[in-house]
Amino acid sequence: SRIQHILEGFYLLD
Amino acid sequence: MLELRLVQGSLLKKVLESIKDLVNDANFDFSSSGFSLQSMDSSHVALVALLLKSEGFEHYRCDRNTSMGMNLGNMSKMLKCAGNDDIITIKGDDGSDTVTFMFESPTQDKIADFEMKLMDIDSEHLGIPEAEYHAIVKMPSAEFARICKDLASIGDTVVISVTKEGVKFSTRGDIGTANIVLRQNTTVDKPEDATVIEMNEPVSMTFALRYMNSFTKATPLSNTVTISMSPDLPVVVEYKIAEMGYVRFYLAPKMEE
């Protein structure tokens, strides 16, 4: 199994 | 000019102890409404969000929004020098490359100043979307800590499943398997001892126990913990800090290949 990158669950702000 | 006086200084000590092993360096963002911190752990699997509102401070002055980069290990070293009953004041001046922590004993007969060097930290700022969670479990924080510790002696990951029957924590390892089921239990003497399950839809997700156990270092901050889950979203493990704010931990689920 792999750990899903947490960034996928968040919005990257400038 | 920044000056924050926290009578219950032990709270700040507990906050630092709860996050310092997960995050090495972080920017503390101060504004007139309070201060916050948001940082990912070094492996970018977990995210910590801290909020302490100005109302919780005896004195709170922040003339303009400012961000201070601090090494949490160093900050923890300094705060460990404060007594548990001490009043802690955080002071900073515009443009300064240091922050001062002042510790006053309750009887005012001992006053200490610790000046810590600040650092420049490049951090990506992430927006945390409001989500409708499939299931929200509120339970005693000590019980959650006990479960995570017990399961970590058997396996590396925990499957958390919420159904209308209750919440199940499962693991498996070389020596065998373990399942712990908590049923909703609201008939308790103290509300903080209750286990409350709000479920819109059943959900089952897998997480690394190493991170869950790290989150439970926040147990001294709150009698209860809230675990919010939706498929494919990071789980939110929240410890509310009475009247002041919260420490929230977000953890990405483990996915099947």
Coordinates of all heavy atoms in Angstrom, one line a residue, chain B residues 38-118:
Chain B
Q38 N 0.6 26.6 11.0 CA 0.2 25.5 10.1 C 1.4 25.0 9.5 O 2.2 25.7 8.9 CB -0.8 26.1 9.1 CG -1.4 25.0 8.2 CD -1.9 25.6 6.9 OE1 -2.8 26.4 6.8 NE2 -1.2 25.2 5.8
S39 N 1.6 23.7 9.6 CA 2.8 23.1 9.1 C 2.6 21.6 8.8 O 1.9 20.9 9.5 CB 4.0 23.3 10.1 OG 5.2 22.7 9.5
M40 N 3.3 21.2 7.7 CA 3.3 19.8 7.4 C 4.5 19.1 8.1 O 5.5 19.8 8.4 CB 3.5 19.6 5.9 CG 2.4 20.3 5.1 SD 2.2 19.7 3.5 CE 1.4 18.1 3.8
D41 N 4.4 17.8 8.4 CA 5.5 17.1 8.9 C 6.5 17.0 7.8 O 6.2 17.2 6.6 CB 5.1 15.8 9.5 CG 4.9 14.7 8.5 OD1 4.1 14.9 7.6 OD2 5.7 13.7 8.5
S42 N 7.8 16.5 8.1 CA 8.8 16.5 7.1 C 8.5 15.5 6.0 O 9.0 15.7 4.9 CB 10.2 16.2 7.8 OG 10.0 15.1 8.6
S43 N 7.7 14.5 6.2 CA 7.4 13.5 5.2 C 6.2 13.9 4.4 O 5.8 13.2 3.5 CB 7.3 12.1 5.8 OG 6.3 12.1 6.7
H44 N 5.6 15.1 4.7 CA 4.4 15.6 4.0 C 3.2 14.6 4.0 O 2.5 14.5 3.0 CB 4.8 15.9 2.5 CG 5.4 17.3 2.5 ND1 5.3 18.1 1.4 CD2 6.2 17.9 3.3 CE1 6.0 19.3 1.6 NE2 6.6 19.1 2.8
V45 N 3.1 13.9 5.1 CA 1.9 13.0 5.2 C 0.9 13.5 6.2 O -0.3 13.3 6.1 CB 2.5 11.6 5.7 CG1 1.3 10.7 6.0 CG2 3.3 11.0 4.6
A46 N 1.4 14.3 7.2 CA 0.6 14.9 8.2 C 0.7 16.4 8.2 O 1.7 16.9 7.8 CB 0.9 14.3 9.6
L47 N -0.4 17.0 8.7 CA -0.4 18.5 8.8 C -0.9 18.9 10.1 O -1.8 18.2 10.7 CB -1.3 19.1 7.7 CG -1.4 20.6 7.6 CD1 -1.5 21.0 6.1 CD2 -2.6 21.1 8.3
V48 N -0.2 19.9 10.7 CA -0.6 20.3 12.1 C -1.2 21.7 11.9 O -0.6 22.6 11.2 CB 0.6 20.4 13.0 CG1 0.2 21.0 14.4 CG2 1.2 19.1 13.2
A49 N -2.4 22.0 12.5 CA -2.9 23.3 12.5 C -3.3 23.7 14.0 O -4.0 23.0 14.6 CB -4.2 23.4 11.6
L50 N -2.7 24.8 14.4 CA -2.9 25.3 15.8 C -3.5 26.6 15.8 O -3.2 27.5 14.9 CB -1.5 25.4 16.5 CG -1.4 26.2 17.7 CD1 -2.1 25.5 18.9 CD2 0.0 26.5 18.1
L51 N -4.5 26.9 16.6 CA -5.1 28.2 16.8 C -5.2 28.5 18.3 O -5.8 27.7 19.0 CB -6.5 28.3 16.1 CG -7.2 29.6 16.4 CD1 -6.6 30.7 15.6 CD2 -8.7 29.4 15.9
L52 N -4.7 29.6 18.7 CA -4.9 30.1 20.0 C -5.5 31.6 19.9 O -4.8 32.5 19.4 CB -3.6 30.2 20.9 CG -3.1 28.8 21.2 CD1 -1.7 29.0 22.0 CD2 -4.0 28.0 22.1
K53 N -6.7 31.7 20.3 CA -7.4 33.0 20.1 C -7.0 34.0 21.2 O -6.7 33.7 22.3 CB -8.9 32.8 20.1 CG -9.4 32.1 18.9 CD -10.9 32.0 18.8 CE -11.4 30.8 19.7 NZ -12.8 30.5 19.5
S54 N -7.0 35.3 20.8 CA -6.6 36.3 21.7 C -7.4 36.4 23.0 O -6.9 36.7 24.1 CB -6.6 37.7 21.0 OG -8.0 38.0 20.6
E55 N -8.7 36.0 22.9 CA -9.6 36.0 24.1 C -9.0 35.2 25.3 O -9.3 35.4 26.5 CB -11.0 35.5 23.8 CG -11.8 36.3 22.8 CD -11.6 35.7 21.4 OE1 -10.6 36.0 20.8 OE2 -12.5 35.0 21.0
G56 N -8.2 34.2 24.9 CA -7.7 33.3 26.0 C -6.5 33.9 26.8 O -6.1 33.3 27.8
F57 N -6.0 35.0 26.3 CA -4.9 35.6 26.9 C -5.3 36.7 27.9 O -6.3 37.4 27.7 CB -3.9 36.2 25.9 CG -3.3 35.2 25.0 CD1 -3.9 34.6 23.9 CD2 -2.0 34.7 25.3 CE1 -3.4 33.7 23.1 CE2 -1.4 33.8 24.5 CZ -2.1 33.2 23.4
E58 N -4.6 36.9 29.0 CA -4.9 37.9 30.0 C -4.6 39.3 29.3 O -5.4 40.2 29.5 CB -4.1 37.7 31.2 CG -4.6 38.7 32.3 CD -3.4 38.9 33.3 OE1 -2.3 38.9 32.9 OE2 -3.8 39.2 34.5
H59 N -3.6 39.3 28.6 CA -3.2 40.6 27.9 C -2.7 40.1 26.5 O -2.0 39.2 26.3 CB -2.1 41.3 28.6 CG -1.4 42.4 27.9 ND1 -2.1 43.6 27.6 CD2 -0.2 42.4 27.2 CE1 -1.3 44.3 26.9 NE2 -0.1 43.7 26.7
Y60 N -3.3 40.8 25.5 CA -2.9 40.5 24.1 C -2.7 41.7 23.3 O -3.7 42.5 23.1 CB -4.0 39.6 23.5 CG -3.5 38.9 22.2 CD1 -3.1 37.6 22.1 CD2 -3.6 39.7 21.0 CE1 -2.7 37.0 20.9 CE2 -3.2 39.1 19.8 CZ -2.7 37.8 19.7 OH -2.3 37.2 18.6
R61 N -1.5 42.0 22.8 CA -1.3 43.1 22.0 C -0.5 42.7 20.7 O 0.6 42.1 20.9 CB -0.5 44.2 22.8 CG -0.2 45.4 21.9 CD 0.5 46.5 22.7 NE 0.9 47.5 21.7 CZ 1.7 48.5 22.1 NH1 2.1 48.7 23.3 NH2 2.0 49.4 21.2
C62 N -1.1 43.0 19.6 CA -0.4 42.7 18.3 C -0.7 43.8 17.4 O -1.8 43.9 16.9 CB -0.8 41.3 17.8 SG -0.1 41.0 16.2
D63 N 0.2 44.8 17.2 CA 0.0 46.0 16.5 C -0.2 45.7 15.0 O -1.0 46.4 14.3 CB 1.1 47.0 16.7 CG 1.1 47.5 18.2 OD1 0.1 47.3 18.9 OD2 2.1 48.0 18.6
R64 N 0.6 44.8 14.5 CA 0.4 44.5 13.1 C 0.7 43.0 12.8 O 1.5 42.4 13.6 CB 1.2 45.3 12.1 CG 2.7 45.2 12.3 CD 3.5 46.1 11.4 NE 4.9 45.8 11.5 CZ 5.5 44.9 10.7 NH1 4.8 44.2 9.8 NH2 6.8 44.7 10.8
N65 N 0.0 42.4 11.8 CA 0.2 41.0 11.6 C 1.7 40.7 11.4 O 2.4 41.4 10.6 CB -0.5 40.6 10.3 CG -2.0 40.7 10.5 OD1 -2.5 41.0 11.6 ND2 -2.8 40.3 9.5
T66 N 2.2 39.7 12.0 CA 3.6 39.3 11.9 C 3.7 37.8 11.9 O 2.9 37.1 12.5 CB 4.4 40.0 13.0 OG1 5.8 39.7 12.8 CG2 4.0 39.6 14.4
S67 N 4.8 37.4 11.3 CA 5.1 35.9 11.2 C 6.4 35.7 11.8 O 7.4 36.4 11.4 CB 5.0 35.5 9.8 OG 5.0 34.1 9.7
M68 N 6.6 34.8 12.7 CA 7.9 34.5 13.3 C 8.2 33.0 13.1 O 7.5 32.1 13.5 CB 7.8 34.8 14.8 CG 7.7 36.2 15.2 SD 7.9 36.3 17.0 CE 7.7 38.1 17.2
G69 N 9.4 32.8 12.5 CA 9.8 31.4 12.2 C 10.6 30.9 13.5 O 11.5 31.6 13.9
M70 N 10.1 29.8 14.0 CA 10.8 29.3 15.2 C 11.1 27.8 15.0 O 10.4 27.1 14.4 CB 9.8 29.4 16.4 CG 9.4 30.8 16.7 SD 8.7 31.0 18.3 CE 7.6 32.5 18.0
N71 N 12.2 27.4 15.6 CA 12.5 26.0 15.7 C 11.8 25.4 16.9 O 12.0 25.9 18.1 CB 14.1 25.8 15.8 CG 14.4 24.4 16.1 OD1 14.3 23.8 17.2 ND2 14.9 23.7 15.0
L72 N 10.9 24.5 16.7 CA 10.1 24.1 17.8 C 10.8 23.3 18.9 O 10.5 23.3 20.1 CB 8.9 23.2 17.3 CG 8.0 23.9 16.3 CD1 6.7 23.1 16.1 CD2 7.5 25.3 16.8
G73 N 11.9 22.6 18.5 CA 12.7 21.9 19.5 C 13.4 22.9 20.4 O 13.4 22.7 21.6
N74 N 13.9 24.0 19.8 CA 14.5 25.1 20.7 C 13.5 25.8 21.6 O 13.7 26.1 22.7 CB 15.2 26.1 19.8 CG 16.4 25.5 19.1 OD1 16.9 24.4 19.5 ND2 16.9 26.1 18.0
M75 N 12.3 26.0 21.0 CA 11.2 26.7 21.7 C 10.8 25.8 22.9 O 10.6 26.3 24.0 CB 10.1 26.9 20.8 CG 9.0 27.8 21.4 SD 7.7 28.1 20.2 CE 6.4 28.9 21.2
S76 N 10.7 24.5 22.6 CA 10.3 23.6 23.7 C 11.4 23.5 24.8 O 11.0 23.5 26.0 CB 10.2 22.2 23.1 OG 10.2 21.2 24.1
K77 N 12.7 23.6 24.4 CA 13.8 23.6 25.4 C 13.6 24.8 26.3 O 13.7 24.8 27.6 CB 15.1 23.8 24.8 CG 15.7 22.5 24.3 CD 17.1 22.7 23.7 CE 17.5 21.6 22.8 NZ 18.7 21.9 22.0
M78 N 13.2 26.0 25.7 CA 13.0 27.2 26.5 C 11.8 27.1 27.4 O 11.8 27.5 28.6 CB 13.0 28.4 25.6 CG 14.3 28.6 24.9 SD 14.5 30.3 24.4 CE 16.3 30.4 24.1
L79 N 10.7 26.6 26.8 CA 9.4 26.6 27.6 C 9.5 25.5 28.7 O 8.8 25.7 29.8 CB 8.3 26.3 26.7 CG 7.9 27.4 25.7 CD1 6.6 27.0 24.9 CD2 7.6 28.7 26.4
K80 N 10.4 24.5 28.6 CA 10.6 23.6 29.7 C 11.2 24.2 30.9 O 11.1 23.7 32.0 CB 11.5 22.4 29.2 CG 10.7 21.3 28.5 CD 11.5 20.1 28.2 CE 10.6 19.1 27.5 NZ 11.3 18.1 26.8
C81 N 11.8 25.4 30.7 CA 12.4 26.1 31.8 C 11.3 26.9 32.6 O 11.6 27.4 33.7 CB 13.5 27.0 31.4 SG 14.8 26.2 30.5
A82 N 10.1 26.9 32.1 CA 9.0 27.6 32.8 C 8.4 26.6 33.8 O 8.2 25.4 33.4 CB 8.0 28.1 31.8
G83 N 8.0 27.0 34.9 CA 7.3 26.2 35.9 C 5.9 25.9 35.4 O 5.4 26.7 34.6
N84 N 5.3 24.9 35.8 CA 3.9 24.6 35.4 C 2.9 25.6 35.8 O 1.9 25.8 35.2 CB 3.5 23.2 35.9 CG 4.0 22.1 35.0 OD1 4.3 22.3 33.8 ND2 4.3 20.9 35.5
D85 N 3.2 26.3 36.9 CA 2.2 27.3 37.4 C 2.6 28.7 36.9 O 2.0 29.7 37.2 CB 2.2 27.3 38.9 CG 1.8 26.0 39.5 OD1 1.0 25.3 38.8 OD2 2.2 25.6 40.6
D86 N 3.7 28.8 36.1 CA 4.2 30.1 35.7 C 3.3 30.8 34.7 O 2.6 30.1 33.9 CB 5.6 30.0 35.1 CG 6.7 29.9 36.1 OD1 6.4 29.8 37.3 OD2 7.9 29.8 35.7
I87 N 3.3 32.1 34.8 CA 2.7 32.9 33.7 C 3.7 33.2 32.6 O 4.8 33.5 32.9 CB 2.2 34.3 34.3 CG1 1.2 34.1 35.5 CG2 1.6 35.2 33.2 CD1 1.1 35.2 36.4
I88 N 3.3 32.9 31.4 CA 4.3 33.1 30.3 C 3.9 34.3 29.4 O 2.7 34.4 29.0 CB 4.3 31.8 29.4 CG1 4.8 30.6 30.2 CG2 5.2 32.0 28.2 CD1 4.9 29.3 29.5
T89 N 4.8 35.1 29.1 CA 4.6 36.2 28.2 C 5.5 36.1 27.0 O 6.7 35.8 27.2 CB 4.9 37.6 28.9 OG1 4.0 37.7 30.1 CG2 4.6 38.8 28.0
I90 N 4.9 36.2 25.8 CA 5.7 36.2 24.6 C 5.8 37.7 24.1 O 4.8 38.4 24.0 CB 5.0 35.4 23.5 CG1 4.7 34.0 24.0 CG2 5.8 35.4 22.2 CD1 3.9 33.1 23.0
K91 N 7.1 38.1 23.9 CA 7.3 39.5 23.5 C 8.1 39.5 22.2 O 9.1 38.7 22.0 CB 8.1 40.2 24.5 CG 7.3 40.6 25.8 CD 8.2 41.4 26.6 CE 7.8 41.5 28.1 NZ 8.7 42.3 28.9
G92 N 7.8 40.4 21.3 CA 8.5 40.6 20.1 C 8.5 42.0 19.6 O 7.5 42.7 19.9
D93 N 9.5 42.5 19.0 CA 9.6 43.8 18.4 C 9.6 43.7 16.9 O 10.2 42.8 16.4 CB 10.8 44.6 18.9 CG 10.6 45.0 20.4 OD1 9.5 45.5 20.7 OD2 11.6 44.9 21.1
D94 N 9.0 44.7 16.2 CA 9.0 44.7 14.8 C 10.5 44.7 14.3 O 11.3 45.4 14.7 CB 8.4 46.0 14.2 CG 6.9 45.9 14.4 OD1 6.4 44.8 14.8 OD2 6.2 47.0 14.2
G95 N 10.7 43.8 13.3 CA 12.0 43.7 12.7 C 13.1 43.0 13.5 O 14.2 42.9 13.0
S96 N 12.8 42.6 14.7 CA 13.8 41.9 15.5 C 14.0 40.5 15.0 O 13.1 39.9 14.5 CB 13.3 42.0 16.9 OG 14.2 41.1 17.7
D97 N 15.2 40.0 15.2 CA 15.4 38.6 14.8 C 15.3 37.7 16.1 O 15.9 36.6 16.0 CB 16.7 38.4 14.0 CG 17.9 38.9 14.8 OD1 17.7 39.4 16.0 OD2 19.0 38.8 14.3
T98 N 14.7 38.2 17.1 CA 14.6 37.3 18.3 C 13.2 37.5 18.9 O 12.4 38.4 18.6 CB 15.6 37.7 19.4 OG1 15.3 39.0 19.8 CG2 17.0 37.5 19.0
V99 N 12.8 36.5 19.7 CA 11.5 36.6 20.4 C 11.9 36.3 21.9 O 12.8 35.6 22.2 CB 10.5 35.5 19.9 CG1 11.0 34.1 20.1 CG2 9.1 35.7 20.6
T100 N 11.2 37.0 22.8 CA 11.5 36.8 24.2 C 10.3 36.1 24.9 O 9.1 36.4 24.7 CB 11.7 38.1 24.9 OG1 12.8 38.8 24.3 CG2 12.0 38.0 26.4
F101 N 10.7 35.0 25.7 CA 9.7 34.4 26.6 C 10.0 34.8 28.0 O 11.1 34.6 28.5 CB 9.8 32.9 26.4 CG 9.6 32.3 25.0 CD1 10.7 31.8 24.3 CD2 8.4 32.4 24.4 CE1 10.6 31.4 23.0 CE2 8.2 31.9 23.1 CZ 9.3 31.4 22.4
M102 N 9.0 35.3 28.7 CA 9.2 35.8 30.1 C 8.3 34.8 30.9 O 7.1 34.6 30.7 CB 8.7 37.2 30.2 CG 9.2 37.8 31.6 SD 8.8 39.6 31.6 CE 7.2 39.5 32.3
F103 N 8.9 34.3 32.0 CA 8.3 33.4 32.9 C 8.2 34.1 34.3 O 9.2 34.5 34.8 CB 9.0 32.1 33.0 CG 9.4 31.4 31.7 CD1 10.6 30.8 31.6 CD2 8.5 31.5 30.7 CE1 11.0 30.2 30.4 CE2 8.9 30.9 29.5 CZ 10.1 30.2 29.3
E104 N 7.0 34.2 34.8 CA 6.8 34.7 36.1 C 6.2 33.7 37.0 O 5.2 33.1 36.7 CB 5.7 35.9 36.1 CG 6.1 37.1 35.3 CD 4.9 38.0 35.1 OE1 4.4 38.5 36.1 OE2 4.4 38.1 34.0
S105 N 6.7 33.5 38.2 CA 6.1 32.6 39.2 C 4.8 33.2 39.7 O 4.7 34.4 39.7 CB 7.1 32.3 40.3 OG 7.3 33.4 41.1
P106 N 3.9 32.4 40.1 CA 2.6 32.9 40.5 C 2.7 33.9 41.6 O 1.9 34.8 41.7 CB 1.8 31.7 41.0 CG 2.5 30.5 40.5 CD 4.0 30.9 40.2
T107 N 3.7 33.8 42.5 CA 3.9 34.7 43.6 C 4.8 35.9 43.2 O 5.1 36.7 44.0 CB 4.5 34.0 44.8 OG1 5.6 33.3 44.4 CG2 3.5 33.1 45.5
Q108 N 5.2 36.0 41.9 CA 6.0 37.1 41.4 C 7.4 37.2 42.0 O 8.0 38.2 41.9 CB 5.3 38.4 41.6 CG 3.8 38.5 41.1 CD 3.8 38.7 39.6 OE1 4.5 39.5 39.0 NE2 3.0 37.9 38.9
D109 N 7.8 36.1 42.7 CA 9.1 36.2 43.3 C 10.3 35.7 42.4 O 11.4 35.7 42.8 CB 9.1 35.6 44.7 CG 8.6 34.2 44.7 OD1 8.3 33.7 43.6 OD2 8.5 33.5 45.7
K110 N 9.9 35.2 41.3 CA 10.9 34.8 40.3 C 10.5 35.2 38.9 O 9.4 34.9 38.5 CB 11.1 33.3 40.4 CG 12.1 32.7 39.5 CD 12.3 31.2 39.6 CE 13.1 30.6 38.6 NZ 13.1 29.1 38.6
I111 N 11.3 35.9 38.2 CA 11.0 36.3 36.9 C 12.2 36.0 36.0 O 13.3 36.3 36.3 CB 10.7 37.9 36.8 CG1 9.5 38.1 37.6 CG2 10.5 38.3 35.4 CD1 9.2 39.6 37.8
A112 N 11.9 35.3 34.9 CA 13.0 34.9 34.0 C 12.7 35.3 32.6 O 11.6 35.4 32.1 CB 13.1 33.3 34.0
D113 N 13.8 35.7 31.9 CA 13.7 36.1 30.5 C 14.5 35.1 29.6 O 15.7 34.9 29.9 CB 14.4 37.5 30.3 CG 13.4 38.6 30.5 OD1 12.7 38.9 29.5 OD2 13.4 39.2 31.6
F114 N 13.9 34.6 28.6 CA 14.6 33.7 27.7 C 14.5 34.3 26.3 O 13.3 34.5 25.8 CB 14.1 32.3 27.7 CG 14.5 31.5 28.9 CD1 13.9 31.8 30.1 CD2 15.4 30.5 28.8 CE1 14.3 31.1 31.3 CE2 15.8 29.8 30.0 CZ 15.2 30.1 31.2
E115 N 15.6 34.6 25.6 CA 15.5 35.2 24.3 C 15.9 34.2 23.3 O 17.0 33.6 23.4 CB 16.4 36.4 24.2 CG 16.2 37.3 23.0 CD 17.1 38.5 23.0 OE1 18.3 38.3 22.7 OE2 16.7 39.6 23.3
M116 N 15.0 33.9 22.3 CA 15.3 32.9 21.3 C 15.5 33.5 19.9 O 14.7 34.4 19.5 CB 14.2 31.9 21.3 CG 14.5 30.6 20.5 SD 13.1 29.4 20.5 CE 12.0 30.2 19.3
K117 N 16.5 33.0 19.2 CA 16.7 33.4 17.9 C 15.6 32.9 16.9 O 15.2 31.8 17.0 CB 18.1 32.9 17.3 CG 19.3 33.5 18.0 CD 20.5 32.9 17.6 CE 21.7 33.4 18.4 NZ 22.9 32.5 18.3
L118 N 15.1 33.8 16.1 CA 14.1 33.4 15.1 C 14.8 32.9 13.8 O 16.1 33.1 13.7 CB 13.3 34.6 14.7 CG 12.4 35.2 15.9 CD1 11.6 36.4 15.4 CD2 11.4 34.1 16.4

